[in-house]
Each structure stands twice: as C-alpha cells, then as structure tokens.
Amino acid sequence: GAVVSQHPSRVICKSGTSVKIECRSLDFQATTMFWYRQFPKKSLMLMATSNEGSKATYEQGVEKDKFLINHASLTLSTLTVTSAHPEDSSFYICSAPGRKQETQYFGPGTRLLVL
Amino acid sequence: AQSVTQLGSHVSVSEGALVLLRCNYSSSVPPYLFWYVQYPNQGLQLLLKYTSAATLVKGINGFEAEFKKSETSFHLTKPSAHMSDAAEYFCAVSDGSNNDMRFGAGTRLTVKP
C-alpha cells in the first residue's frame, strides 16, 4: 500500500538553528501534502498545505517565514523550522492524499526538541 | 467550515468491556469521517472511514463506527476491549474535495486488566 516516510524521526537541536524535515511519498505521487503539528497530549493542528510547484498555503496563525515549506517534486515536501526556539519543540506529522480523495496517508512523524 | 468534537479526553475500561468513544461533527457539506489511532511516539493509523456508503462502518482490530446524520455523530465502538487497544484515538472530518482534515482533540483509551 501507499506509504509516507519522514526523516528524521527525531531531532535535537540548539536554539537558533534551523531544522529541515523531509516528507516523502513512496510509490505514489502527491501534488499536495499536508503538515501538521501535535503538541503533547493534544490533537493535530493543520499548519499548511504544501503544493508541488507553487507556494504553500498556511493556516491562520502559522508564521510562513518561520516554517518554510518547499514542495520541489511530486514525492517530496520539506518543512524547515528556521531559527528554532524551545517553543517549537513538537511532533510534526505530514500526510499525502491517495488516489481516492478521501484517503490520506500519514507519515510516522518527526519529534523535534529544541534546547 | 468543518469540525469534530470528541467527548471525553480520557476513557477507561476494563479488559473485555465495551469500548465507546464519542465523536460529533459539524459540516456544511456531506462529510467524510475518520477514526485514527495513535500509539506513543508513532504516527496515525487509520481505523476506519465513512465516505457516504454504508452508515455502519467496520474497521480494523474489531472496531466499528456508525454514521448518524440526525445526531451528527460518528461514535467508535468495540464490543470487547483488549489491552493492546490502549492508545490515543482521533476523530477527523474532511469534505473530500481538498483532502485536508480537521481533527478532534483526541481521546486517550486506557484498558485495565
């Protein structure tokens, strides 16, 4: 079946550095991918919609200059957390829709810890 | 705009007992509804989904959910809880057109021996 991978699965960085998270669709193409953020013991919050070949669409309240999204190919979207701070520590999950519109495939998530 | 509300952030049942996790939705268009399970430090796994076909949907691991339009509900049930069912469960809604989903706050299921 369709699989979405994320890399890295876990990252620890110092405050002020930038971190890039990759989301790949394996064996299928995704012109759209979604990035979610999950706080501890909280639900997933949609951050942005990544569009292949065009700018990402950000949800209200999400800083686009803070969370840079690049969807350079039909199988890869990246989320870069720029100048990370401890409050950016979270679990980031991406998803990609399958052929059937209602089907979403979720990545395993990336846990970011900013010291 | 669509949204879901999960009643009860934490549900505790005994092993072998009925599991009932509640979800109510709000949608201006016919909704697609989903239940996902998340184990600690893992991503989401789809349990089942409703996409305007049969109102009673059967999923994996013995779970099922019933779409009730009159009650705007999509509650998740399992006749007999197993220890391995302990996890976080999320209800989600989508309109099916742009694929983005809105998630409920989640319900943590604890299963007591």
Side-chain angles (χ1 to χ4, degrees):
Chain A
V3 174
V4 174
S5 68
Q6 282 184 241
H7 178 78
S9 59
R10 183 184 295 265
V11 57
I12 301 173
C13 69
K14 293 183 179 180
S15 184
T17 60
S18 294
V19 175
K20 179 185 286 188
I21 302 171
E22 294 184 348
C23 178
R24 293 183 185 273
S25 58
L26 306 179
D27 299 326
F28 72 104
Q29 295 180 335
T31 56
T32 302
M33 290 184 177
F34 301 96
W35 286 97
Y36 295 85
R37 181 174 180 177
Q38 185 180 28
F39 293 96
K41 300 183 180 181
K42 298 288 185 182
S43 186
L44 282 76
M45 179 190 75
L46 179 65
M47 298 175 65
T49 302
S50 173
N51 303 300
E52 189 269 334
S54 64
K55 292 182 179 180
T57 305
Y58 290 82
E59 295 299 303
Q60 190 173 9
V62 178
E63 300 175 62
K64 60 182 180 181
D65 295 330
K66 173 75 170 177
F67 299 99
L68 299 179
I69 291 173
N70 183 23
H71 197 144
S73 77
L74 289 172
T75 59
L76 173 64
S77 174
T78 60
L79 169 68
T80 301
V81 183
T82 62
S83 187
H85 287 89
E87 58 265 30
D88 298 324
S89 299
S90 195
F91 195 50
Y92 293 88
I93 301 174
C94 71
S95 72
R99 289 195 188 88
K100 292 184 178 179
Q101 277 194 323
E102 72 278 4
T103 304
Q104 286 270 6
Y105 298 101
F106 285 84
T110 296
R111 185 162 299 284
L112 170 64
L113 177 61
V114 184
L115 302 176
Chain B
Q2 301 157 283
S3 65
V4 289
T5 302
Q6 290 184 241
L7 300 176
S9 59
H10 188 199
V11 170
S12 181
V13 300
S14 297
E15 190 174 19
L18 171 71
V19 175
L20 171 61
L21 305 182
R22 299 177 187 273
C23 173
N24 287 89
Y25 70 90
S26 174
S27 178
S28 57
V29 298
Y32 291 102
L33 294 159
F34 307 81
W35 274 99
Y36 287 89
V37 60
Q38 184 181 36
Y39 296 98
N41 297 312
Q42 294 187 28
L44 300 177
Q45 180 180 6
L46 179 67
L47 278 178
L48 50 81
K49 61 183 178 183
Y50 166 78
T51 57
S52 75
T55 56
L56 181 62
V57 182
K58 294 186 183 298
I60 62 171
N61 301 341
F63 284 94
E64 62 181 38
E66 186 172 8
F67 172 72
K68 292 186 176 181
K69 185 177 179 179
S70 61
E71 299 177 7
T72 61
S73 68
F74 190 59
H75 302 330
L76 181 71
T77 61
K78 181 174 181 177
S80 177
H82 192 271
M83 296 297 290
S84 61
D85 294 328
E88 188 87 18
Y89 291 80
F90 293 97
C91 182
V93 63
S94 162
D95 66 5
S97 62
N98 61 6
N99 291 306
D100 78 274
M101 287 184 179
R102 305 292 165 162
F103 287 82
T107 298
R108 179 168 297 277
L109 175 65
T110 301
V111 182
K112 298 175 292 186

